[in-house]
Each structure stands twice: as C-alpha cells, then as structure tokens.
Amino acid sequence: MKKTLVIFLLTTLLALVFPLNEANAEETVIWQWSDVGMEGGSVCDLAIDPQTPSTLYAVIWEKGVFKSINGGKYWSSASNGFTDFSISALAIDPQTPSTLYAGTYDEGVFKSNDGGASWNAVNTELTDLFIMALAIDPQTPSTLYAGTYDEGVFKSNDGGASWNAVHDVLSPIGINTLIVDPQNSSTLYAGTWSGVFKSVDGGASWSAVDTGLTDHGIPALAIDPQTPSTLYVGTRIRGVFKSTNGATHWSAVHTGLKNHNIFELVIDPLTPSTLYTGTAGGVFKSDNGGASWSVADRGLTDTTIYHLVIDPQTPSTLYAGTSGGVLKSFDGGASWITASSGLPAFSIKALAIDPQTPSTLYAGTWGESVFKSINGGAFWSTGNSRISENHIHYITDIAIDPQTPSTLYAGTLGGVLKSTNSGASWSGASLGLTYKTIDALVIDPQTPSTLYASTSHDKLTNEGALRGIVGVVFKSVDGGASWSAANTGLPDKNISALVVDPQTPSTLYASTNEYEYTDEGVFQRVVGGAIFKSADGGTSWSAVNTELSAHDILTLAIDPLTPSTLYAGTSEGVFKSVDGGASWNAANAGLNATQIKALVIDPQTPSTLYAGTSKGVFRSNNGGNCWSAVNIGLPATQINRLAIDPQTPSILYAVTWYGGVFKGRLVDWEPSPFFPIILPEVPLGCIQP
C-alpha cells in the first residue's frame, strides 16, 4: 500500500512539474527489446554419453564446451579450466562417461573427471600441438590416442598423464579422424589428407590402406560395431567408400548421394546396415549398408552438416552439428528441429533489411557467411550461402539493391560477393579490386548498378612491422562485375565508413582514421580522424572535418530528406553537421556513452535517430539535441550495428558482437498515476519546460 502511494505521488508530481511536450517526447514512449536469436554458433564437435544419452556435449567454435542434460533442450557452458576456447575435438570414456577429453588448437589435451564441470591440462609431450582427433580404447579406456595436425599420432596409457609419439610414417600428415576396433583394440584406423592408414599393433606402426579409393582426403571414418571388418570412409569430393575386409580394398557406395563432400559418418549400433552421413548438402541415410542413399534433411536450418551423433539406446534419435548450432531428429532423420537454446550467439558484423519486404533480414557473421530470416528474425537459415574459399565467409558488410532486393552484395575479408537470388547462392564480384579486405559497401540508390567499396591493407616497414592501415575506395558501375580505384584526394589511412547522398548520389562522404604503432608493430593509439567529401562520384575528394581531427570516427549517417545534415559517430560521442560537412558540432546531451559504432535515422521522421554505443542504444527525437537510453530488455553492452525498418520505423534491430540480434519496438505509453511503471530516465539537460 505504501509503495503504491509513493508511486502515485511521484508520478503525479512529475506530470505536474514536467508536462509532456515535443521537446521531451522521449518520456512518452517505452522501448522494448527481445532477443531474436542466431543462437548456436559453429559446432566443432559433438559427443553423447553412451550410458545416459540425454547428456550431450558440444564444442562451439571459439566459445568452448557446452553441456546439455536434457537431450539438447538447453545447453550451459562447461568450459571452466580452459585457458582459451580454441577447442577442436571431444571424446568420452565409454565406461566412466564423467571422464572426458578435449583436444585444443595449440595447447594439447585437457581432461575432465566431473562431466565437464572442470578441466585440467594433460599435456606432457603435447604442448603447442594442434589436436584434430581423439580416440579412446573401448576395452581399456585409460589408453587413448590423439591425432595432430602435422605431428602424427600420440598415445597415452595412463589416462592422459603422459604421452608418447607413435606416428611412424604419419608424422607430416594431418590426422582428421581416428577410430579403434571395438573388438580388437590393438587395431586402429586413421583418416588423413593422404588417405587411410591402419595399425594392428596399437599405433606402433602404420601402413596405407587405400586400394580402391579415388579420393585421399578423408574427413570421416566409421566402423561396424558388430562386424569390425566392415568400414566406411567419407571423402572430401568423391562421396562414401566401403570395405568389408578390414580396409584391404574399398568400393564406392554413393548411389543416391547427391552431395559427395562428406564431413561425418555414423552407424546405427543396433542395426549396422543403417548409417547416416553429414555432407555439404544435408543429411543422407542408407538402410542397406551404403548400397543406396536417400535425403534425410526435412527441417534442417543449415545444409552443411559437420557432425552427427546417434543415441546408442534409441538409434532413431540423432543430433547434428552445423554452422548454425545443434539440430535433433526423433525419427531417424525424417525430420529435424532446432536444439540450440543456451548455446552462444554468432559473432555478427553486418545486418541489412530488405527495403521492400522488411520482414526479410540478412546477417553477416564472422566466419559463417550470411544468414537470412524471412520472418523478422524469428528464424534464421543459411540456405546455400556458405562459401568455402579462404576468408570469403567472414562478412564485413551487406548492401541490398533498393530497386531489386533479390540482388545483394556482401563485403568480406576476401573481396565482394554478389547474389541475384536473395542469398540462395553467391558468386565472386571482385575483378579489379587490388585489395580484398572490404570495410564498407554502399549502393547508389538511384542507379543501383553503381557501388562503392572501401578496402584496407596493412602498411608495413621494410622489416615487416605494421605501421598502419591504408584504405582505398573502389567504384563499380556494372553491378560489381569490375572495379576501379576512386581515391584521388584521400590520404593513406584507414577508411571506417562510406555514405551516399540519397538525393544527389554523386555526392559521397568517407571517414578515415589514423593509428599509431610502435616500431615492433604494436598498436598504440588513435591519432585522429577525418571526413572527406566527393561531389563527383568518387573521382576526387577533399577534407571537410575541421572539428573532428582529434577523434576516432567510427560511423556516418546522412539525413534522407535533408542530405546536408550528417551525423558522425566517434569514440567520444556524436557530432552533427548541417552544412554538408563544412562544420561540425557535438550533439551529445544525455549520451553518457562512448564508442558510437552505429547510427540510423528514421526515414520518415529524420529528426529521430538512434545510436549504438558502448552502453546499448540511445534515441533522440530532436536531431541529436538530446538523447535517452532505450535499453529495456537489451544488454547494456557495445552495439555494433543498427538497422531500422523502412516501412515501420518503430521497429529497430541491434547487433552485438557475441550477443546476436535483438529486435526493438516502440510501445506507446500514456502516463497515469494509477499505472505503476518504471519511468524512463530523463537525460539531464534534455528537459525543456
């Protein structure tokens, strides 16, 4: 009763003292955010408890080990004890499943004796080695094997306490997978980039067993648990091969297998004639020992399947590890559902909204290519967008043709990609780009075949030490088919942002930054930034930044209705120009945050704009004169990208580096002393009586 009375009096007092008007309209709305996912991350390995199959472990790229105790319904971190999260392989002791081993990229092997609650290094002789595969002797689990990237195979007879090299001829060969014969544990098989190798003496010696194989890149191996002389291998480009005589001879078995890029093979332990393969084109199933295959991927959200595990007690239940998290099937692969709740979100660098169908979104991820949602972020998929070329799936920016939104472009660390079918497939569009690291992409809104790309490359000393980042602007007038430099007048400095005047597209603005490095190439500080303007489509540039030279300029935004009005997000706040960049003034009242990495303007009411900052999202409804935080439901963390629905500007999307995508909506609120609610904070200096 007392609490209600206090709220009544406080609300009434505020209504009397601060009557709501245009000047402080931030108070009249509440902004509500919801997480729209991208949960999952890229799964590097999956393992299932053989005694309690509802317990699973997943390795997420650069995020560590995660554990589920309810069949994938929810996951939680199980990485305590790792010095970093570069984990590459997992193995479970089949007799004592609370004992696990994890292989890492450069720190050898770690061990857990408590089901992943804690981990300790077991690295004697393994320090600095990249562990690509682990295998445990099913009869004597204290014996285990570690396959490395380029040092062959190591063996431990004491549960990882010590290791010895047993690689023989395998020393320079990368080991992709290892399996132990379940009935005769002195027999092992290794799948490598140079074919299949076999050992019959516990790894002491190895011999190649490749007869019949037409592809020697072997990412996957599987052994029949009931008849171990029967094996299957998955190859990189030639599909599946089978041997029925202990790998003496192999025969192709891929009738019906529409994709021959194999990542994983698993066998039904109760019915070994049933097996599954994970490919770059989904899951395929065989019920006749590989003689024929059929598609088993209805409901899959990612066509590339990197890992598969099968429930040993209920083999109709399977789990798939993809670049988009974990998926589960209860019916032998006939259908799949997402099982990624609790897994960390993707690292997202870019976000774009279809201007004609705003429920369609594209998110560019760091290492996992482009994801697409057709329902406002409720569900995401990659389709066929994953590109395998080096660096090409690290997305830095996305630009959509405003007239033909099925055409879009992606900037990457390896050049520009173009799609003409709404992201279903991509092709390179980098001819003429001298430098391939793309920092920003913009499209001429009136002539969408004209694009601009800012690129960057390292500036090195004669000794090879880093001295700075050099940016170059390129222009294409043929939809990315070819590019030429459009850089005259720009300094040899990093280009952080590009914007095009929507009414006069021959006018562009570019922001640059200069960094200082030590003689050894270690970053020291930001020396300062600058803004340049071109009035001739990038042919020439001149500086327009007299007030900003001491700031690190991170982003630019241009008023769509009054293009002479611009905003610059910097490391120290927001600056505004109303004369086409000729002069700039701080626009920071109420903005108690730094690192303004994102700015978007309401296309219908340009006096309303949003800033992505180090403390979440801030909103101004008066052209930057004052700001207030709008973070209900949003983590108060660094916002890297913002995107606004062009048709319904009360819908906004925000991207954090590791937090995924959040969707915000404006909710009208009529203040009432009878409706107790937490009042939005009114920024000091923003209230005008």
Side-chain angles (χ1 to χ4, degrees):
M1 181 65 184
K2 289 183 179 180
K3 183 177 180 182
T4 303
L5 180 60
V6 170
I7 294 172
F8 173 88
L9 293 173
L10 178 60
T11 312
T12 303
L13 180 62
L14 285 171
L16 291 171
V17 176
F18 302 124
L20 297 172
N21 54 41
E22 249 347 273
N24 60 342
E26 273 88 13
E27 298 175 76
T28 68
V29 293
I30 294 176
W31 195 272
Q32 294 180 340
W33 294 88
S34 59
D35 187 344
V36 290
M38 301 281 300
E39 283 184 314
S42 184
V43 180
C44 299
D45 206 356
L46 274 177
I48 190 167
D49 185 321
Q51 297 179 17
T52 309
S54 59
T55 296
L56 299 102
Y57 300 87
V59 174
I60 305 300
W61 182 61
E62 293 190 345
K63 308 291 177 63
V65 177
F66 287 77
K67 180 178 181 178
S68 174
I69 58 173
N70 51 18
K73 289 182 180 179
Y74 187 80
W75 300 80
S76 57
S77 179
S79 300
N80 185 39
F82 287 105
T83 53
D84 69 43
F85 295 150
S86 298
I87 302 165
S88 50
L90 272 181
I92 298 179
D93 184 320
Q95 296 182 18
T96 309
S98 59
T99 297
L100 301 94
Y101 300 88
T104 70
Y105 279 71
D106 56 7
E107 294 188 334
V109 174
F110 282 69
K111 181 178 181 178
S112 174
N113 292 311
D114 51 16
S118 62
W119 296 83
N120 294 287
V122 284
N123 277 340
T124 304
E125 302 297 329
L126 294 181
T127 304
D128 299 328
L129 292 183
F130 180 174
I131 308 300
M132 297 184 66
L134 291 169
I136 298 176
D137 185 326
Q139 299 173 12
T140 309
S142 59
T143 297
L144 57 151
Y145 301 86
T148 69
Y149 177 71
D150 57 3
E151 294 291 337
V153 177
F154 286 74
K155 180 178 182 178
S156 174
N157 291 311
D158 49 17
S162 61
W163 297 83
N164 295 291
V166 291
H167 43 63
D168 189 35
V169 298
L170 297 182
S171 179
I173 301 172
I175 310 297
N176 295 320
T177 182
L178 284 169
I179 56 173
V180 180
D181 186 317
Q183 297 180 13
N184 179 7
S185 55
S186 61
T187 298
L188 297 87
Y189 299 88
T192 78
W193 291 120
S194 299
V196 180
F197 289 80
K198 180 178 181 178
S199 173
V200 295
D201 51 14
S205 60
W206 297 81
S207 57
V209 283
D210 288 338
T211 303
L213 290 178
T214 58
D215 180 1
H216 291 78
I218 311 295
L221 272 172
I223 189 167
D224 186 320
Q226 297 179 16
T227 309
S229 58
T230 296
L231 300 99
Y232 301 85
V233 298
T235 67
R236 189 63 173 170
I237 58 173
R238 300 292 184 184
V240 177
F241 290 76
K242 179 179 181 178
S243 174
T244 57
N245 50 17
T248 300
H249 186 273
W250 300 90
S251 300
V253 286
H254 42 240
T255 300
L257 193 62
K258 297 179 181 178
N259 192 294
H260 289 185
N261 186 355
I262 309 299
F263 290 97
E264 184 70 284
L265 283 166
V266 293
I267 297 176
D268 183 324
L270 304 184
T271 309
S273 59
T274 297
L275 56 153
Y276 303 84
T277 181
T279 79
V283 176
F284 291 81
K285 179 179 181 179
S286 174
D287 291 314
N288 51 17
S292 61
W293 298 83
S294 59
V295 176
D297 64 359
R298 182 168 60 88
L300 289 181
T301 61
D302 191 316
T303 58
T304 302
I305 308 299
Y306 297 105
H307 299 283
L308 289 168
V309 293
I310 191 167
D311 184 323
Q313 299 175 14
T314 309
S316 58
T317 297
L318 298 94
Y319 300 86
T322 79
S323 64
V326 177
L327 300 161
K328 183 176 183 178
S329 174
F330 293 98
D331 50 16
S335 61
W336 297 82
I337 60 172
T338 300
S340 296
S341 181
L343 292 177
F346 290 95
S347 301
I348 301 170
K349 287 281 287 183
L351 189 68
I353 298 179
D354 185 316
Q356 296 181 16
T357 309
S359 59
T360 296
L361 312 171
Y362 298 90
T365 65
W366 201 240
E368 302 300 332
S369 197
V370 177
F371 280 72
K372 179 181 180 180
S373 173
I374 60 173
N375 49 18
F379 181 79
W380 297 85
S381 64
T382 57
N384 294 315
S385 66
R386 186 179 176 89
I387 308 294
S388 60
E389 296 176 40
N390 191 31
H391 297 313
I392 211 76
H393 47 277
Y394 289 82
I395 308 300
T396 56
D397 205 359
I398 297 173
I400 300 177
D401 185 323
Q403 297 178 16
T404 309
S406 59
T407 296
L408 55 154
Y409 303 84
T412 78
L413 293 187
V416 176
L417 298 175
K418 181 177 182 178
S419 173
T420 57
N421 52 13
S422 302
S425 61
W426 298 82
S427 58
S430 301
L431 182 64
L433 288 176
T434 310
Y435 307 107
K436 298 297 180 66
T437 298
I438 308 299
D439 296 314
L441 273 176
V442 292
I443 294 179
D444 181 325
Q446 297 181 17
T447 309
S449 59
T450 297
L451 302 91
Y452 300 88
S454 69
T455 70
S456 61
H457 65 281
D458 294 342
K459 182 179 181 180
L460 305 175
T461 65
N462 292 334
E463 292 75 29
L466 183 63
R467 299 302 296 160
I469 306 295
V470 177
V472 178
V473 173
F474 287 84
K475 180 178 181 178
S476 174
V477 295
D478 51 15
S482 62
W483 298 82
S484 58
N487 216 51
T488 301
L490 287 175
D492 288 340
K493 298 176 182 178
N494 178 58
I495 298 170
S496 56
L498 281 174
V499 291
V500 176
D501 184 323
Q503 297 183 16
T504 309
S506 58
T507 297
L508 300 93
Y509 298 86
S511 60
T512 69
N513 291 309
E514 183 177 3
Y515 305 119
E516 184 176 282
Y517 294 83
T518 66
D519 291 340
E520 292 75 30
V522 179
F523 173 77
Q524 288 287 89
R525 66 186 180 94
V526 177
V527 176
I531 294 178
F532 287 77
K533 180 178 181 178
S534 174
D536 51 17
T539 300
S540 61
W541 299 81
S542 58
V544 288
N545 67 299
T546 53
E547 291 83 7
L548 299 180
S549 58
H551 300 281
D552 184 10
I553 303 170
L554 305 173
T555 188
L556 293 172
I558 189 167
D559 186 316
L561 301 185
T562 309
S564 59
T565 297
L566 296 100
Y567 300 88
T570 77
S571 57
E572 303 299 326
V574 176
F575 288 78
K576 180 179 180 178
S577 172
V578 294
D579 52 14
S583 61
W584 296 83
N585 294 289
N588 292 322
L591 193 64
N592 61 340
T594 59
Q595 298 296 315
I596 315 301
K597 292 188 175 182
L599 286 169
V600 293
I601 299 174
D602 185 322
Q604 298 176 14
T605 310
S607 59
T608 297
L609 59 152
Y610 303 86
T613 78
S614 59
K615 296 182 180 179
V617 177
F618 284 71
R619 176 180 183 263
S620 173
N621 71 340
N622 50 22
N625 288 340
C626 63
W627 299 82
S628 59
V630 285
N631 289 325
I632 296 175
L634 182 69
T637 186
Q638 179 67 59
I639 304 299
N640 290 323
R641 289 294 176 107
L642 291 171
I644 193 166
D645 186 317
Q647 297 179 16
T648 310
S650 59
I651 295 176
L652 187 69
Y653 297 89
V655 169
T656 67
W657 180 240
Y658 283 122
V661 180
F662 291 81
K663 184 176 184 177
R665 294 175 180 271
L666 275 177
V667 180
D668 289 332
W669 172 54
E670 293 296 334
S672 167
F674 303 103
F675 182 59
I677 190 168
I678 299 174
L679 293 175
E681 180 182 351
V682 181
L684 187 64
C686 283
I687 297 176
Q688 302 175 19

